[in-house]
Amino acid sequence: MLPESLFFSVFLVAALALFAWNARRLVRYLKVGKKENRFDRVPERLRRVFAIALGQSKLLREPLAGVLHALIFWGFVILLTAILESIGEGIAPGFSLAFLGSLYPPLIFIAELFGLLVLISVVVSIFRRLVAPPERLRVSGHAKWDAVLILFLILVVMVTMFGQNSARIALGLETAPAARLVSAVFAPSFTGDGTHMWFRIFFWGHMIAVLGFLNYLPFSKHLHILTSIPNVYFSSLGPKGALAPVNLADESATKFGATDVEDLTWKQLLNGYTCTECGRCTSACPAHSTGKLLNPKKIIVDVRARTMQKAPLMLAGTTEGAAAGNTLLDHFITEQELWACTTCMACVQECPVMIEHVDTIVEMRRGLVLNESRFPDELKTTFSNLERNYTPWGFGHASRADWAEGISVPRIADCGTAEILFWVGCAGAYDARYRKVSRAFAQLLNRAGVNYAILGTEEKCTGDPARRMGNEYLAQSLITENIATLNKYAVKKIVTTCPHCLQSLGREYRQFGGNYEVVHHTTLLNELVEKGKLSLPAAVASKVTFHDPCYLGRYNGVYDDPRDLLDRVGGITRVEMKRAGDRSFCCGAGGGRMWMEEREGKRVNIERTEEALATGADTIGTGCPFCMTMLTDGVKERDPAGSTKVKDVAELLWEAMEGSNDR
């Protein structure tokens, strides 16, 4: 019969070898994805790891769950020393880290303290899962019981660790028994000849639980324990929300976009491994929250499932069987799910492990549009309008500057150059309601003496709607034409009233050689007020709630400027909605949804309008043409008496200034 230490060594090697084989298998599966460089800017990536992965900053946005997870995470990191000590003890009986000298007592004291915190956190977490789960955790089947099993294994690891340490103290083998905060309490329970037997039971129970836990991870949703730090490290450092361009000039490409896992990048496949199925993305998703089929969590889990199904076949070089004939698109993810996305980035904002859901969704939209011409019928008209009139709406291009009639708005073709280019945007040029915003903003610029100009009929749609709807070819044609126009006039700085134009011009045009400083009109107005070029008098007393546009807030980080402006107008009392700032709820128009019918569930704009009306505000302020349209429609339905108004911040400022002239 093998000595116990030798038997343990064989057991340890076998367990680690099995884990290494499964880890290698998972790494090999990633190789079926497309190449992508995520190995640059190492210092920035490490800082992100320390803040998000180690610091748990995104998890702590939800206090209770965040604290519980942080305690378990940090507990396990600290308890690695205790696990290594047990492994050493199994290989060489009597092994201890006591050779660390004076460092040893505080080390084991901290380990015991965090072991206790982990134990408490696990018990509370099991209670939450089984007795009082939050809405996002109310799942059944594998996901629920997989989580419970993992928590139970952690519980066993903790209990056996304390049992082992208590028995060791009772046997008189502990170097610093007083430092064993918890174990010392239970050590007197072990007496007599059976103590050594209990020590062996707890030791083997501890090792089987630890190594069993390790080998279960590659088959569990808790694989994120191993992949979350790499996933955070490799998360995008590019401009937030900027879509990766498609190389349409690549003559070797057989298709564009994605229809199956091999069309996604290795990082997008790693996202699938890393999904914790916590449901934070789903609970924040406006489409899912209003009864649509889309579930961001399911999208990523489906990528993982398809990777596990197809990668072995690809690596083996086989095309036989039903699984080989499947695709990610249609067999796992439906068109209906993809087209429900508003690209609001709430899912990405809430994900604690930096999964990039929107990029994957748009990549599959590209697969539908560019390869198969599959898209909602109403988008045929939208694409046609963009091709013919350079706007998603059916207006003639020659009327693009008609909004400025009657006020002094210089055109850059006439003045040759300007300090700031006012990019009006399609809504600002054509939409009857938003043209009033363009006029108000232009008059504010005139009042402040700003040296600005517009392109007039030389301006075309930025391409944002086409790009988010997957029509990269159309988007890039508009982008390159606009860049040529902007560069012709040596434009350096641009201001726009549309956050979608802000995102495209400021963050995505750089991918195609268009480098400009682009600001939102609320940011520029705030600067003008701070410099004393605009003075804001008292307005008629009103109660205003500000709706954060997704592309202004989550995409570009502008939250304070519009609020600061409203606060500077005397007479305005500002109130916040339940969901505001980086947790703002989408209006429902992004991602091309502005031009698609909403046939499932409750309308997203109605959900947001009800939340705005619940504040008791008489005015809903915003800074986006899409949001204005959606909220105005919502108010018409939910407040038909018209007691609540929807206005852009620029309008509120201009009205205050004009009102002061009338008094």
Side-chain angles (χ1 to χ4, degrees):
M1 188 174 179
L2 288 175
E4 187 176 12
S5 60
L6 181 58
F7 180 79
F8 174 79
S9 298
V10 172
F11 171 70
L12 176 66
V13 169
L16 293 177
L18 179 60
F19 171 75
W21 187 88
N22 276 309
R24 177 178 174 273
R25 172 179 60 88
L26 293 173
V27 171
R28 289 183 69 229
Y29 288 178
L30 293 180
K31 294 181 179 179
V32 307
K34 295 191 297 186
K35 293 181 180 179
E36 182 181 16
N37 181 19
R38 297 278 183 126
F39 298 89
D40 57 344
R41 299 158 67 179
V42 172
E44 289 180 64
R45 296 189 181 280
L46 289 175
R47 282 196 294 271
R48 183 170 284 186
V49 166
F50 279 108
I52 297 173
L54 302 180
Q56 306 275 286
S57 59
K58 296 190 80 172
L59 274 163
L60 291 170
R61 284 166 61 83
E62 191 174 318
L64 176 59
V67 169
L68 291 173
H69 192 280
L71 288 174
I72 294 173
F73 173 81
W74 277 107
F76 254 81
V77 170
I78 292 169
L79 290 169
L80 283 175
T81 57
I83 292 171
L84 289 174
E85 188 172 42
S86 292
I87 290 173
E89 194 171 15
I91 297 172
F95 174 83
S96 170
L97 294 178
F99 63 81
L100 295 173
S102 60
L103 294 177
Y104 186 62
L107 178 66
I108 60 176
F109 176 82
I110 292 171
E112 289 268 320
L113 175 61
F114 271 87
L116 177 61
L117 293 174
V118 170
L119 192 63
I120 294 170
S121 299
V122 168
V123 171
V124 174
S125 296
I126 291 175
F127 178 84
R128 285 182 82 233
R129 283 276 178 179
L130 297 179
V131 180
E135 182 63 35
R136 63 179 177 81
L137 293 179
R138 289 177 187 171
V139 293
S140 59
H142 171 73
K144 175 180 178 179
W145 294 110
D146 181 60
V148 172
L149 176 58
I150 288 290
L151 289 170
F152 177 75
L153 283 172
I154 296 173
L155 186 67
V156 171
V157 169
M158 293 298 101
V159 170
T160 54
M161 180 190 76
F162 286 129
Q164 177 186 335
N165 292 338
S166 296
R168 186 188 295 109
I169 293 172
L171 290 169
L173 302 175
E174 180 57 63
T175 306
R180 295 288 185 186
L181 177 69
V182 178
S183 302
V185 174
F186 296 98
S189 303
F190 297 94
T191 58
D193 296 337
T195 302
H196 190 270
M197 179 193 69
W198 278 111
F199 176 78
R200 305 317 305 163
I201 290 174
F202 282 123
F203 168 80
W204 278 101
H206 186 62
M207 286 293 95
I208 290 171
V210 167
L211 296 174
F213 178 86
L214 182 68
N215 277 283
Y216 179 64
L217 289 181
F219 304 95
S220 163
K221 77 182 187 71
H222 283 75
L223 177 61
H224 77 271
I225 292 173
L226 303 174
T227 61
S228 59
I229 290 178
N231 203 64
V232 171
Y233 179 84
F234 290 119
S235 60
S236 175
L237 293 177
K240 189 173 182 181
L243 299 173
V246 175
N247 183 8
L248 298 171
D250 183 3
E251 296 181 358
S252 65
T254 57
K255 67 176 178 179
F256 299 112
T259 57
D260 215 336
V261 288
E262 68 267 25
D263 305 320
L264 298 173
T265 68
W266 65 265
K267 172 59 173 64
Q268 288 170 320
L269 303 189
L270 181 61
N271 285 339
Y273 288 1
T274 311
C275 180
T276 70
E277 298 186 46
C278 66
R280 286 175 174 82
C281 59
T282 300
S283 62
C285 176
H288 188 270
S289 299
T290 53
K292 314 299 188 288
L293 189 61
L294 174 63
N295 180 339
K297 178 182 74 175
K298 176 184 175 296
I299 296 288
I300 302 304
V301 170
D302 284 345
V303 169
R304 178 174 68 206
R306 177 57 176 164
T307 301
M308 296 300 184
Q309 183 186 75
K310 188 169 187 180
L313 301 178
M314 293 183 67
L315 293 173
T318 180
T319 57
E320 298 179 358
N326 290 344
T327 56
L328 177 64
L329 190 59
D330 295 328
H331 292 91
F332 286 80
I333 300 169
T334 65
E335 288 183 70
Q336 190 177 356
E337 293 171 77
L338 298 177
W339 291 115
C341 179
T342 67
T343 66
C344 71
M345 289 279 281
C347 52
V348 178
Q349 177 73 35
E350 294 303 322
C351 180
V353 290
M354 300 297 288
I355 289 171
E356 297 150 7
H357 314 67
V358 174
D359 289 356
T360 298
I361 289 172
V362 172
E363 200 64 24
M364 285 191 281
R365 283 186 175 185
R366 286 170 170 172
L368 285 168
V369 174
L370 298 177
N371 299 318
E372 304 177 35
S373 294
R374 290 166 59 187
F375 45 80
D377 289 339
E378 53 265 38
L379 294 188
K380 292 178 182 177
T381 302
T382 306
F383 290 152
S384 177
N385 288 334
L386 284 165
E387 290 170 357
R388 296 177 182 178
N389 298 315
Y390 316 114
T391 176
W393 289 285
F395 297 99
H397 185 62
S399 63
R400 195 171 186 102
D402 289 358
W403 65 271
E405 289 181 3
I407 58 175
S408 177
V409 179
R411 300 195 188 193
I412 200 165
D414 298 328
C415 57
T417 186
E419 182 182 335
I420 297 176
L421 177 78
F422 173 21
W423 186 278
V424 182
C426 297
Y430 296 114
D431 182 76
R433 176 64 187 87
Y434 213 70
R435 289 172 76 167
K436 296 179 181 178
V437 177
S438 299
R439 292 175 66 85
F441 180 59
Q443 290 176 99
L444 286 167
L445 294 178
N446 290 339
R447 182 72 62 89
V450 176
N451 177 10
Y452 78 99
I454 64 169
L455 286 173
T457 54
E458 292 185 87
E459 180 185 293
K460 298 176 181 178
C461 177
T462 61
D464 166 79
R467 204 162 197 219
R468 264 65 196 176
M469 292 184 285
N471 196 335
E472 183 76 2
Y473 178 83
L474 177 54
Q476 287 194 25
S477 67
L478 291 165
I479 289 169
T480 52
E481 290 172 18
N482 281 325
I483 289 175
T485 302
L486 292 168
N487 290 347
K488 179 177 72 173
Y489 292 112
V491 171
K492 302 297 182 186
K493 185 172 182 177
I494 300 172
V495 62
T496 180
T497 58
C498 177
H500 296 258
C501 297
L502 174 71
Q503 175 70 13
S504 293
L505 293 166
R507 300 199 165 191
E508 299 190 1
Y509 272 43
R510 296 181 183 184
Q511 300 168 344
F512 305 93
N515 297 295
Y516 318 106
E517 178 190 354
V518 188
V519 297
H520 191 246
H521 70 299
T522 58
T523 299
L524 180 60
L525 289 172
N526 211 25
E527 292 175 1
L528 294 173
V529 172
E530 288 178 347
K531 292 177 180 178
K533 295 184 177 182
L534 283 176
S535 57
L536 300 180
V540 176
S542 61
K543 190 177 181 181
V544 180
T545 185
F546 182 74
H547 162 78
D548 291 277
C550 302
Y551 275 69
L552 182 61
R554 279 189 288 269
Y555 275 78
N556 283 278
V558 179
Y559 298 106
D560 296 334
D561 289 333
R563 288 176 169 80
D564 289 345
L565 284 168
L566 291 173
D567 291 343
R568 286 185 167 119
V569 178
I572 287 181
T573 301
R574 188 168 54 81
V575 292
E576 293 286 7
M577 286 181 248
K578 182 180 179 181
R579 290 174 286 195
D582 61 9
R583 282 184 164 149
S584 179
F585 195 77
C586 182
C587 75
R593 291 296 319 172
M594 182 80 171
W595 297 276
M596 288 182 255
E597 292 297 325
E598 198 168 343
R599 299 183 176 92
E600 290 180 87
K602 183 180 182 181
R603 295 179 67 87
V604 176
N605 68 317
I606 297 299
E607 174 81 5
R608 185 55 166 170
T609 300
E610 289 174 349
E611 191 170 2
L613 294 176
T615 65
D618 52 63
T619 303
I620 304 171
T622 190
C624 172
F626 292 1
C627 297
M628 174 166 281
T629 297
M630 301 302 279
L631 292 171
T632 299
D633 289 348
V635 167
K636 287 178 181 177
E637 181 171 326
R638 287 293 186 262
D639 183 24
S643 58
T644 306
K645 306 298 181 184
V646 181
K647 295 183 179 181
D648 189 273
V649 172
E651 290 183 295
L652 291 168
L653 266 58
W654 181 245
E655 288 173 4
M657 297 182 75
E658 284 296 281
S660 68
N661 292 334
D662 295 338
R663 289 197 287 273

